[in-house]
Amino acid sequence: MRLPKLSRVLATLAATALTALGVVAVDTAPASAAVRNVCYNTSQAGPFASYANQAASIWNARTNNINMAQCGSNLMIYYTYGGGSYAQRTSLGNGRVVIDYNQAQQYSPLRIMTHEIGHILGLPDNYNGNCAILMSGGSAGTSCTNPYPSSTEAARVDSLFGFAARSATTPQIFTDSWPAATAGALR
Ligand SMILES: [Zn+2]
């Protein structure tokens, strides 16, 4: 058939011309279009404000789809004395983190901070005792100071903040189980 052939030739010519002009078909949105700000507020974070900033830098460096910045109060950072550190996620990227000052004397405050923010970013606990896993939290013991999410954990956050799954995370309170300083329950 001549017409289909001619069509193919024309299409090829057109594609060649577009390529020559530097016009390239793009079938996905620019990566930046998926980046979502997670605005945190350290006005109530007291001595942990600097840890929140460090944790934000870590999460920004390890993920592609979020940008943590002091641009609002989507995520409030608080601290308290006793009772345990915890995160209260109201929706993905929103909520509050409370750091227990007493726990932070025994466990790495930066690891606690990045862990609790991890909950706000959609991650559950994974108390497997592995220090390489951020969400293993206090199960990795007081000697574990690793504040970095594993590549798997970071990829999970990126996935949750992708367009398709953005609203899939349900509200949840994580009453955390970083062992209390006096528990003596470390194994
Ligand atoms: Zn936790």
Side-chain angles (χ1 to χ4, degrees), residues 80-168:
T80 187
Y81 295 94
S85 303
Y86 66 96
Q88 179 180 4
R89 186 179 65 218
T90 51
S91 64
L92 187 61
N94 297 288
R96 61 166 60 186
V97 159
V98 180
I99 304 298
D100 181 344
Y101 184 96
N102 297 339
Q103 279 183 342
Q105 301 302 302
Q106 187 174 17
Y107 292 86
S108 162
L110 182 55
R111 178 172 164 83
I112 295 174
M113 184 69 77
T114 47
H115 172 104
E116 301 303 343
I117 290 175
H119 287 312
I120 302 298
L121 301 179
L123 297 179
D125 282 314
N126 178 10
Y127 295 133
N128 62 4
N130 184 349
C131 186
I133 304 300
L134 180 61
M135 301 315 288
S136 70
S139 74
T142 55
S143 65
C144 176
T145 60
N146 169 40
Y148 300 106
S150 69
S151 57
T152 300
E153 291 172 316
R156 177 61 179 156
V157 169
D158 271 335
S159 175
L160 289 170
F161 276 82
F163 282 120
R166 183 164 289 179
S167 62

Side-chain angles (χ1 to χ4, degrees), residues 40-101:
Y40 66 99
N41 183 320
T42 60
S43 64
Q44 306 299 312
F48 298 102
S50 64
Y51 292 109
N53 292 334
Q54 292 178 61
S57 294
I58 287 171
W59 278 112
N60 287 343
R62 299 287 169 126
T63 58
N64 299 312
N65 288 344
I66 65 166
N67 176 53
M68 293 193 67
Q70 294 193 60
C71 50
S73 302
N74 300 70
L75 167 55
M76 287 295 302
I77 310 290
Y78 298 96
Y79 74 106
T80 187
Y81 295 94
S85 303
Y86 66 96
Q88 179 180 4
R89 186 179 65 218
T90 51
S91 64
L92 187 61
N94 297 288
R96 61 166 60 186
V97 159
V98 180
I99 304 298
D100 181 344
Y101 184 96

